[in-house]
């Protein structure tokens, strides 16, 4: 980063942290539960909406299936939670990538890694999109600007994570508890109102969905089944995020595994209970939620008013139970938005960890391993930010569309991870003696097997019902990521194989002779400094090289060289096509051909300008020559920089120069060839100035 | 340019030319006339239009002033031609920049240079814009797409000039003569038809302009004068391009000056005669031409049909004389388009010459001096292309608007150049003996003085009548360019002052001691090669430096170093904030403080990937470190590249390495410090690995 931007960076990122500051304190149950459940709990903010909007395709009658489908979705979610509770007993350091890699081999691991990367990007995109819609429910002024609110949410999360902020655990915990209190308060008052018959209707109770053409003939047996399956597949978004505690066992207080198991169970029950409550109340208050509000009509069959705004289900319920625009309902909706932001935040923690893990295994670029000033994996954070922004913008922050792609990757990694666990327990069984321990392993394997079967079924259902709706894009993306990671790994493997020392190699071998070559473009101070440095390195032979771009200039240069009596012979290289690098490369190759075991060192005088705009006024010739020379084997490039002073026009370098005074005769560098004896004759020539070295 | 684009470049640009191929053959009168007059003659394609559209502001009655104003404009143009004919006798190598610089000093020269740069950009923009409108007159399908045709014209000219095409002189000469034949054929037949009363009306004869509100009260005395002056100032665009032969005397056949004087006179007479003819016939055929065709009405006072297309004046005349849509009229209009393209082409020759001249005098970046593969100043051509495209797009290819800004720069440089000539002759007079020679000088001074007075007057008139219409933009642009050129010159002067050798300096001084330092990031082949190269340079002292970014990695590195028994001591630098460059710089500064007269050489092992995409997988750390080190005085950077093989997975470097076999004991490099004696103890430490060198 240019130094001029340093203050901006300090303002945004803050002072760098010492590496020692890395470890955090382990979290007890009371804090771990809210912190690691935020992601799973936040699904309540969009999973019910998904079920209802799918059912709405079948018309008003189909909406009655809502609570039943909610029940099935919750059951599946609890099964997955159970399955993960078993997994962590074997892999407390956890993570689906680690489990899969250990049990099903690196390629299954990479596939899961790719799916998880995609999931986490979707977690951010879905969370900020849903957050934007909840905020619009409290602040109607934001309606229509949801996209920009979502983009702002991503940017906020990115900056916070690059700063390393949000490491505090207490505030999030308090906010999640507040959310839970208000949510269950709302659900209980809703139930009480329902029992006492005082439950009001939702705002959307007086509209109804126009059935999809496919379901126009009413709901026959098959049509109902298809609709129910599709609603279930959309609703399975409820299970997203349940793996978070399993991947963070390390961060929990001792006894870690018991803490984690408690957190998972509590999380599953809370998420399940709240989903069931929401689905029940939504049915009782006649909540209607559709993909496109333009497809609604009033219950009388009329047009829906143009200013009709469709709020998320939870916001509608809060208004129905706590009263439209009341303080409590506003607070609950705001807390939902906060919870969604926390879910996005948790993805911002997991994604860079995952990519650094993949980078450590050489499947992703090494840059993802670099820790930033505040100890975060900045490059991973930036990658996630860009990907999430791309999704948010591409889907114009429409939560429903995003969720449907989200579910695929999540269930893919669930499935593969559970399969890995089944394999793990089967292997374990071979080493386990009979009796109780053996039975425990069998039981655990059975749980993971059920988990595998269920998640596989859901994955297939989602894939089939959503294939033409974009599921193929998600699969293609995962396949593409796997193939890129394979190429990256192959590259790193090849580089390591090439760079590693062979046992037979003598690590202390030296080049036999050193041929030094100074590239001369003018007789000015930087050139003389380069010459002095080259001579100080006492090479076996030393020559100055001039590329003849312009005959007059070359002649003047040689005359000046002669006048200064510089003790180094000059070779002039012809350049009929006015190139700098090519004649030099040809000359070097000639040298290397005649003595391939010698080292050739090219000294290049350079000047470094003090201000950025000034570099526009100087050719990038030396830079280009250096890049070209880097591709030549057996050639070392020595840049001799001359720092131009900042005070223009002063004309002097005020810093001490490394040159000492004149060297006493006889003590000069040893094996330097005889001085400019053949120049004078060449200067007088009328023919080409080329010494002809490379044409012979 | 990346090597992958090399074939594309060869296709577009062609094989490079040898520098020897630069000189062209001198042109005799018959060829020089058409080639160097194209620019001036092409003004006939837009100057009459400018006069008529200005007069149209005063309504139909005002159009009758057309021929008279044409007469004045032609007179001014001829005066300028006369004046330049005198100038070239003193400055045959010509150019207004050279004349001004020599007589009025560098700053007047730079001002004229800036004005000329602007003129040439406008020449291209005006020519292609006018060309587009003439083409649309022959091919009505192009109507509405004039902007794209103009853009295509600029791109075509740019490519042709980068290729060095269009150096042939015969084809342009033939085309110009054809144009002249058809133009004068048209004018003569028009006059004959007029005398015999068979001259038809122009297509626009049945429309008439709606007078501008300012002239609604009819044409009072002052209003007529104002309108006439404005029409004259617009029409003075006729004089653009007359300086071209004066700037190209060098390219003409001997006796050069006489050839040039002939060319200038013939050019002036041809341009004058054709303008007068066009203005007369336009009056006789009742041509109407306005800025915005929407302000026209039919002579009956009705609306002009929506599909009315306004063709340029010359196209309307051709149709009136040769018959609408006839072969001859089509051919004439096409030749006008060709002539305009040739005028743009001549600017594409002059602009890079001018900028290279200014760059040689250090007022513009040095890159403008680089000749491309085909000997053109490619960077100057690219600069002109971009500027012309910007103008064409900004003005949406509207010729009339472009011309009005064009004239200002042209007359500014005319004026200053004539003033310079007056000064020249005055100085000359001091050295001229009395009698005839003295009288000749006096006469010449008088001519240039009249030229100066007339052009100054026109410049003032243009400036006053056009100030609020954008003339201030042109002046501001020139002032801005002058100030940028001043800063550039100051920078180059400062650099030269700093880099030039002082007489007292000993060009053969050497640094007293060399301290070598190898940056070690891993114990792999590139590192060992860097170590070997460093040792081969026999430094006074040598150390390997490890920056401790990650404790585990550093410990493993030191163990490996120990195992290989590398004969170089290692210093470990602490880096609490995980930076690579900063600890290194601090270490270097400590070294330099303790012995400021020593040279420090930092050896950096690097590997060079074979394919572009692979570089994304490697940190740019070494690049950043090198850039940072370049800003440290007294530090030389030696990159030791390792070329990764192209065949991935082969794992071996198939090229011969510069290392020889093991060195016999006792013949190793001299003054290297004792081997790794203090590492083993450090590796075992549990504390920080930092050697503490820079903290003490």
């Amino acid at each position: 980063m240019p130094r001029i931007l340093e203050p901006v960076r300090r303002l945004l990122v803050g002072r760098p942290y010492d590496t020692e500051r890395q470890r955090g304190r382990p979290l007890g149950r009371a804090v771990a539960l809210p912190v690691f459940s935020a992601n799973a709990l936040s699904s309540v903010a969009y999973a019910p909406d998904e079920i209802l909007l799918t059912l709405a395709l079948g018309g008003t009658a189909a909406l009655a299936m809502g609570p039943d489908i909610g029940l099935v979705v919750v059951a599946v979610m609890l099964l997955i939670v159970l399955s993960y509770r078993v997994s962590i007993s074997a892999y407390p350091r956890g993570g689906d990538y680690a489990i899969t890699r250990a049990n099903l081999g690196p390629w299954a691991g990479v596939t899961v890694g790719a799916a998880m990367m995609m999931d986490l990007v979707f977690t951010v995109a879905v969370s900020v999109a849903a957050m934007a819609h909840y905020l619009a429910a409290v602040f109607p002024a934001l309606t229509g600007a949801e996209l920009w609110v979502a983009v702002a949410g991503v940017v906020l999360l990115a900056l916070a994570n690059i700063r390393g902020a949000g490491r505090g655990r207490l505030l999030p915990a308090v906010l999640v508890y507040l959310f839970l209190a208000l949510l269950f308060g709302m659900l209980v008052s809703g139930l009480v109102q329902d029992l006492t018959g005082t439950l009001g209707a939702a705002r959307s109770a007086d509209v109804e969905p126009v059935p999809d053409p496919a379901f126009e003939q009413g709901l026959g047996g098959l049509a109902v089944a298809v609709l129910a399956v599709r609603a279930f597949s959309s609703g399975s978004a409820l299970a997203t995020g349940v793996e978070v505690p399993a991947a963070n066992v390390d961060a929990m207080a001792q006894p870690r595994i018991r803490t984690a198991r408690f957190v998972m169970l509590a999380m599953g029950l809370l998420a399940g209970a709240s989903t069931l409550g929401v689905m029940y109340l939504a049915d009782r208050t006649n909540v209607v939620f559709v993909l496109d509000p333009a497809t609604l009509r009033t219950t009388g069959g009329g047009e829906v008013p143009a200013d009709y705004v469709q709020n998320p289900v939870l916001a509608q319920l809060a208004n129905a139970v706590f009263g439209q625009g009341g303080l409590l309902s506003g607070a609950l909706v705001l807390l939902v938005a906060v919870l969604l932001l926390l879910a996005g935040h948790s993805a911002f923690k997991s994604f860079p960890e995952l990519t650094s893990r993949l980078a450590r295994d050489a499947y992703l670029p090494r840059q993802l391993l670099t820790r930033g000033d505040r100890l975060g994996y900045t490059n991973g954070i930036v990658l996630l930010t860009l990907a999430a922004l791309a999704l948010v913008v591409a889907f114009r922050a429409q939560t429903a569309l995003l969720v449907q792609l989200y579910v695929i990757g999540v269930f893919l990694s669930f499935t593969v991870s559970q399969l890995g666990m089944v394999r793990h327990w089967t292997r374990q069984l071979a080493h386990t003696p009979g009796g109780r321990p053996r039975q425990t392993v069998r039981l655990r394997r059975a749980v993971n097997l059920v988990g595998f079967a269920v998640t596989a079924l859901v994955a297939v259902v989602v894939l089939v019902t959503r294939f033409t709706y974009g599921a193929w894009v998600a699969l293609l993306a995962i396949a593409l990521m796997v193939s890129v990671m394979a190429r990256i790994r192959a590259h790193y493997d090849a580089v390591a194989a090439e760079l590693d020392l062979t046992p037979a190699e003598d690590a202390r071998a030296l080049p036999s002779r050193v041929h030094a070559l100074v590239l001369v473009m003018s007789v000015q101070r930087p050139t003389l400094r380069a010459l002095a440095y080259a001579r100080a390195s006492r090479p076996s032979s030393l020559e100055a090289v001039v590329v003849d771009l312009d005959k007059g200039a070359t002649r003047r240069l040689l005359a000046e060289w002669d006048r200064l009596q510089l003790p180094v012979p000059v070779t002039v290289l012809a350049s009929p096509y006015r190139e700098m690098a090519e004649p030099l490369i040809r000359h070097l190759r000639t040298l290397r051909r005649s003595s391939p075991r010698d080292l050739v060192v090219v000294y290049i005088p350079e000047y470094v300008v003090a201000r950025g705009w000034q570099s526009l006024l100087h050719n990038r010739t030396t830079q280009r020559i250096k890049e070209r020379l880097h591709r030549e084997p057996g050639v070392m490039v020595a840049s001799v920089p001359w720092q131009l002073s900042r005070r223009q026009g002063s004309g002097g370098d005020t810093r001490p120069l490394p040159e000492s005074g004149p060297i006493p005769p006889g003590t000069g560098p040893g094996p330097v060839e005889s001085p400019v004896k053949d120049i004078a004759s060449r200067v007088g020539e009328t023919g080409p100035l080329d010494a002809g070295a490379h044409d012979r």
Side-chain angles (χ1 to χ4, degrees), chain A:
Chain A
M1 187 177 291
R3 275 176 304 171
I4 202 163
L5 293 179
E6 193 62 27
V8 180
R9 174 189 181 178
R10 281 284 158 266
L11 187 73
L12 288 176
V13 177
R15 291 203 40 250
Y17 284 160
D18 193 298
T19 312
E20 298 303 313
R21 203 168 154 169
Q22 216 170 117
R23 288 169 245 303
R25 254 179 310 156
L27 304 182
R29 293 181 172 191
V31 182
L33 172 62
V35 165
F36 296 122
S37 305
N39 201 338
L41 290 176
S42 74
S43 309
V44 179
Y46 47 82
D49 307 46
E50 289 295 315
I51 296 174
L52 290 181
L53 76 85
T54 311
L55 290 176
L57 296 175
T60 313
L63 291 179
M65 291 195 282
D68 296 336
I69 289 175
L71 210 59
V72 179
V73 165
V74 168
V76 166
M77 185 268 291
L78 286 176
L79 256 171
I80 297 172
V81 168
L82 225 66
S83 210
Y84 268 101
R85 287 182 82 226
V86 168
S87 298
I88 57 174
S89 61
Y91 286 93
R93 315 208 72 160
D96 294 329
Y97 170 64
I99 292 174
T100 314
R101 191 173 159 79
N103 293 297
L104 302 176
W107 290 113
V110 168
T111 308
V112 167
M116 286 172 70
M117 280 171 69
M118 210 178 67
D119 294 352
L120 290 165
V121 175
F122 270 105
T123 304
V124 173
V126 166
S127 299
V128 295
M131 178 200 75
H133 289 281
Y134 276 94
L135 285 180
V138 204
F139 307 110
L142 295 178
T143 307
E146 284 92 350
L147 175 59
W148 299 113
V149 176
V151 166
V154 176
V155 172
L156 187 78
L157 285 175
L159 280 181
N161 277 280
I162 289 175
R163 266 194 84 92
R167 306 185 127 230
R169 303 301 204 175
L170 213 61
L171 184 66
V174 168
L175 288 170
V176 173
Y177 279 127
L178 260 178
F179 161 76
L180 285 172
L182 270 178
L183 176 66
F184 282 97
M186 188 269 282
L187 293 177
V188 169
S189 357
L191 286 176
V192 170
Q193 288 176 16
D194 186 35
L195 290 177
T196 57
T198 56
L199 183 60
R203 197 178 163 208
S204 56
D206 52 354
V207 296
E208 56 178 34
V210 178
D212 193 75
F215 298 98
E216 252 170 2
Q217 288 77 29
L219 292 166
L222 189 66
V224 168
V226 167
L227 196 63
V229 168
R230 280 179 61 180
F232 163 76
S233 97
S234 301
S236 53
L238 183 66
T240 58
V242 297
E243 80 287 359
V244 172
N248 284 287
V249 179
D250 255 5
M252 298 192 196
Q254 292 289 4
R256 286 184 189 165
I257 298 200
R258 285 192 59 192
T259 310
R261 288 167 70 101
F262 165 82
V263 166
M264 298 206 73
L265 188 64
M267 172 191 80
L269 293 177
L270 286 170
S274 51
T275 305
L276 290 180
V278 167
M279 291 310 296
Y280 177 77
L281 285 183
D283 186 45
R284 301 295 296 168
T285 56
N286 293 320
V287 167
V288 171
F289 190 86
V290 293
L291 195 56
D292 178 7
T295 62
L296 289 172
R297 62 184 174 207
T298 63
T299 38
E303 292 269 311
V304 169
D307 61 345
Y308 177 80
V309 174
Q310 174 176 275
N311 284 335
V313 175
L314 210 45
Q316 293 196 33
L317 284 187
N319 282 327
V321 173
F322 287 145
Q324 182 77 30
L327 192 69
L328 280 177
S329 68
L332 176 55
V333 174
L334 267 183
L335 282 168
V336 174
V338 169
L339 188 75
L340 286 163
L341 204 62
L342 288 175
H345 189 58
S346 94
F348 261 97
K349 290 209 175 316
S350 309
F351 185 90
E353 292 286 341
L354 176 65
T355 50
S356 77
R357 181 76 199 255
L358 285 164
R360 199 167 296 122
D361 292 343
Y363 292 113
L364 284 180
R366 206 162 279 180
Q367 287 89 325
L368 293 166
L369 274 172
T370 314
R371 285 189 185 268
D373 281 344
R374 310 279 272 200
L375 294 168
Y377 294 111
T378 313
N379 291 327
I381 294 173
V382 170
L383 190 64
L384 174 60
T385 306
L386 295 180
L389 283 179
L391 276 187
V392 167
V393 172
F395 286 88
R396 309 203 65 73
Q398 293 185 282
T399 320
L401 297 177
L402 284 165
V403 168
Q404 300 184 359
L405 288 182
Y406 182 21
V407 174
I408 294 159
V410 172
F411 274 86
L412 183 63
S413 47
F414 281 169
T415 308
V416 181
S417 162
Q418 299 303 322
L419 185 64
M421 285 311 299
V422 172
R423 183 103 184 257
H424 170 80
W425 298 124
T426 306
R427 281 182 182 164
Q428 194 86 334
L429 222 48
H431 310 292
T432 312
R436 242 189 104 74
R438 205 173 161 82
Q439 221 159 353
T440 310
V441 172
R442 268 183 205 282
L443 182 67
R444 289 179 168 169
R445 183 173 67 170
V447 172
N448 282 138
L449 194 61
V450 172
F452 165 68
V454 170
T455 51
L457 187 70
V458 177
V460 169
V461 165
V462 171
L463 210 57
V464 169
T465 55
R466 293 288 155 201
F467 197 80
T468 50
Y469 294 83
W472 65 272
V473 179
L475 278 191
L476 195 72
I478 292 174
L480 205 73
M481 284 160 79
V482 170
S483 103
V484 167
M485 291 200 255
R487 287 204 74 175
I488 291 174
R489 172 71 190 236
H491 171 75
Y492 282 132
D493 284 351
V495 169
E498 196 173 333
L499 298 188
D500 279 348
L501 303 168
T502 56
E505 206 156 345
D506 185 334
R508 285 171 294 169
L510 285 190
S512 52
R513 279 160 40 95
V514 177
H515 184 79
L517 205 141
V518 180
L519 185 64
V520 175
M521 285 180 267
S522 63
V523 185
Q524 281 180 312
R525 288 164 146 193
T527 310
L528 295 188
R529 181 184 281 188
L531 266 183
Y533 287 4
R535 289 169 61 210
S537 78
R538 278 161 281 181
S540 324
S541 62
L542 172 62
E543 67 176 333
V545 168
V546 177
V547 179
D548 179 26
L549 298 177
D550 178 278
K551 248 172 226 166
T554 307
R555 197 169 287 129
R556 282 190 298 278
L557 192 154
L558 292 177
E560 180 73 2
W561 195 271
D562 208 20
R563 192 184 66 74
L564 290 171
Q565 302 191 306
L566 292 170
V568 177
V570 183
T571 307
V572 179
L573 303 176
S575 178
Y577 302 121
R578 303 162 302 289
E579 289 159 328
M580 195 77 188
E582 288 312 315
L584 188 62
I585 297 284
R586 277 196 302 270
H587 183 61
L588 289 175
R589 289 190 177 156
T590 314
L591 283 175
R592 297 249 318 140
R593 249 197 308 280
S594 63
S595 41
R597 286 151 71 99
D598 289 4
L599 161 65
V600 179
V601 183
V602 181
Y603 287 82
I604 300 183
E606 287 190 67
Y607 39 83
V608 182
V609 293
R611 288 185 189 78
W613 67 269
Q614 296 171 344
S615 64
L616 292 175
L617 301 180
H618 298 276
N619 291 332
R620 308 243 319 138
T621 315
T622 51
Q623 197 53 41
R624 276 198 297 264
I625 293 174
K626 275 162 41 176
E627 273 160 26
R628 190 69 194 73
L629 289 176
H630 268 86
R631 294 203 293 268
E632 286 298 305
V635 173
M636 182 170 102
V637 180
S639 332
V640 182
W642 179 284
Q643 293 81 23
L644 288 170
S645 66
R646 201 164 267 272
R647 296 172 300 125
Q648 279 208 359
S650 74
D653 183 353
T654 54
R655 284 159 294 209
L657 294 181
E659 290 93 351
S660 73
I663 33 166
T667 61
V672 164
E673 282 176 8
S674 58
V676 267
K677 58 175 188 292
D678 57 344
I679 290 172
S681 63
R682 252 190 264 136
V683 174
E685 279 173 20
T686 49
L689 282 161
D690 174 26
H694 65 280
D695 288 336
R696 255 178 254 140

